[in-house]
Amino acid sequence: MNTHQFIPKILQKKTESLSCTWKTPSNIALVKYWGKTEPQIPKNASISFTLSNSHTITTIDFMSKGNSEANNNDINFEFFFEGKKKEDFKPKIAKFFERILEYCPYLTTYNMVIHSENSFPHSSGIASSASGMSAIAMCLMSLEKSLSSVELTDEFINKKGSFLARLGSGSASRSIEGPLVVWGNHPAIEGSSDLFGVLFPYKVHEVFNNYQDAILLVDKGEKQVSSTVGHDLMHNHPFATQRFQQANENLATISDILQQGDIDLFINLVESEALSLHAMMLTSSPYFILMKPNTLEIINAIWRFRKDTGSKLCFTLDAGANVHVLYPANESENVLQFIDNKLSMFCQKNHYICDVIGLGAVKL
Ligand code: DP6
């Protein structure tokens, strides 16, 4: 695999200090990534809608190390989350920096102060690793751009940003661009790679323009089983081979569906993917369940509503109890009414977030 392209060759310029801020979104997978090998190589390709309102804003202040520190090769940083110093977030970020040092050797020559905040409520159960890691990755790319003596194109910045983000959290590789990103090498997707996410390269049917995602917050608590542990349990999983094959087949199928605009097939595939993901959890050893009773109440209510009204809404799940309700923009009024009347009662404090698909990372 060609990772050499990500090792900076010509870094001659000297930047004493730099402050940069990026806003990067979360994403919701339609075909799920679940199972990986070192170093963060997915067992199957995945595709997601990039979100818009659920995002992280991260500022990194880089200060060149003084003479006394210049010879120390430590990676020095402080991390603040929503204004408060957060020591418990540091180990994950430290591990990320160590992993990417080969590709960002300049990391040891700066002291860094990182300030991060999420648009979604803390502990909402929404995965923040995708938006969080991609925001840090893009800040590093801003530093690299300022150090590089050759002009870095936006295309390269996005590609390497996604490559770095992936090494922090797999799904973060899909949070740099939008509206649809594929991560993982797949014969049906031109240019796709295990190393970084790529924009879905074909023309998408207009029914998917401005697609909506209402995130129903069923459980805001800490997950009992982290994604990292869940991925690990796919090693020696009795259904792993079939699952990876199914996901890759689903990716080829959804590529056609997205181009042709067949929304009934879309609903079928997306819901099946969500349940297949959770089926892997139910059949892992040890087994575990991340859905809650209210997750099932919501799924059943969605099926009833679809049958009764002919609506084209559908659900998907990530590694948790919350339900993402996906629907076409022209159904917004009816679906939001349905959510208020029939679904919000299953959410903690009746809380849900209205999101819409978006275009990815933005430098502020
Ligand atoms: C169920 O990207 O959170 O959301 O690479 O270990 O950080 P790590 O895992 P992560 O896994 C996401 C799993 C998922 C499906 C998906 O987003 O494709």
Side-chain angles (χ1 to χ4, degrees), residues 63-340:
M63 278 137 311
S64 185
K65 283 183 182 172
N67 285 342
S68 57
E69 297 171 298
N71 291 329
N72 107 23
N73 279 335
D74 295 347
I75 303 173
N76 289 345
F77 71 97
E78 285 178 28
F79 182 77
F80 294 83
F81 183 71
E82 280 159 13
K84 295 199 187 78
K85 209 167 189 171
K86 274 275 178 194
E87 294 298 330
D88 44 331
F89 286 16
K90 273 187 87 173
K92 199 170 179 189
I93 301 170
K95 193 170 157 203
F96 171 48
F97 285 153
E98 276 154 35
R99 242 192 195 149
I100 61 174
L101 188 56
E102 188 184 350
Y103 309 104
C104 306
Y106 42 81
L107 274 178
T108 56
T109 59
Y110 288 89
N111 291 319
M112 295 176 275
V113 180
I114 307 172
H115 282 272
S116 198
E117 60 187 54
N118 292 338
S119 63
F120 40 91
H122 186 44
S123 298
S124 60
I126 299 184
S128 56
S129 65
S131 53
M133 288 298 177
S134 54
I136 295 176
M138 291 312 275
C139 288
L140 298 183
M141 287 315 296
S142 288
L143 175 65
E144 182 165 325
K145 188 180 163 81
S146 87
L147 292 172
S148 178
S149 29
V150 287
E151 187 63 31
L152 301 185
T153 63
D154 288 345
E155 193 191 342
F156 177 79
I157 288 173
N158 283 344
K159 193 177 181 184
K160 182 165 174 183
S162 171
F163 170 82
L164 296 177
R166 176 196 115 244
L167 291 166
S169 178
S171 54
S173 67
R174 302 187 312 241
S175 273
I176 307 294
E177 295 183 274
L180 274 161
V181 177
V182 176
W183 168 45
N185 185 24
H186 192 288
I189 308 292
E190 241 180 277
S192 59
S193 169
D194 284 346
L195 297 179
F196 46 82
V198 295
L199 267 182
F200 182 70
Y202 311 113
K203 190 169 168 22
V204 175
H205 193 279
E206 63 191 26
V207 293
F208 296 109
N209 288 351
N210 290 322
Y211 227 67
Q212 306 285 308
D213 179 8
I215 310 168
L216 307 188
L217 303 176
V218 172
D219 185 27
K220 304 186 190 178
E222 185 92 0
K223 275 186 265 178
Q224 292 125 330
V225 181
S226 72
S227 291
T228 310
V229 171
H231 284 289
D232 260 359
L233 293 174
M234 289 305 283
H235 298 296
N236 305 318
H237 190 291
F239 307 132
T241 311
Q242 295 92 324
R243 165 59 198 155
F244 303 141
Q245 189 185 338
Q246 175 200 40
N248 280 326
E249 283 166 12
N250 279 343
L251 193 71
T253 308
I254 205 169
S255 169
D256 291 341
I257 293 172
L258 289 167
Q259 294 172 69
Q260 282 154 20
D262 191 326
I263 212 161
D264 291 320
L265 292 179
F266 176 83
I267 291 170
N268 198 274
L269 188 148
V270 166
E271 293 190 346
S272 165
E273 266 294 314
L275 296 178
S276 298
L277 167 73
H278 283 257
M280 291 302 107
M281 302 172 189
L282 299 176
T283 49
S284 292
S285 176
Y287 44 79
F288 60 104
I289 304 178
L290 295 183
M291 291 185 284
K292 297 282 181 200
N294 283 348
T295 312
L296 298 181
E297 292 284 0
I298 291 169
I299 290 174
N300 280 307
I302 286 174
W303 286 342
R304 265 196 310 272
F305 182 72
R306 206 158 65 214
K307 190 154 172 262
D308 293 348
T309 65
S311 164
K312 301 295 185 192
L313 87 175
C314 68
F315 73 86
T316 188
L317 307 167
D318 57 16
N322 297 333
V323 182
H324 289 249
V325 182
L326 303 176
Y327 54 98
N330 64 9
E331 284 197 37
S332 288
E333 207 182 315
N334 286 345
V335 170
L336 289 176
Q337 209 169 42
F338 165 62
I339 292 174
D340 278 336

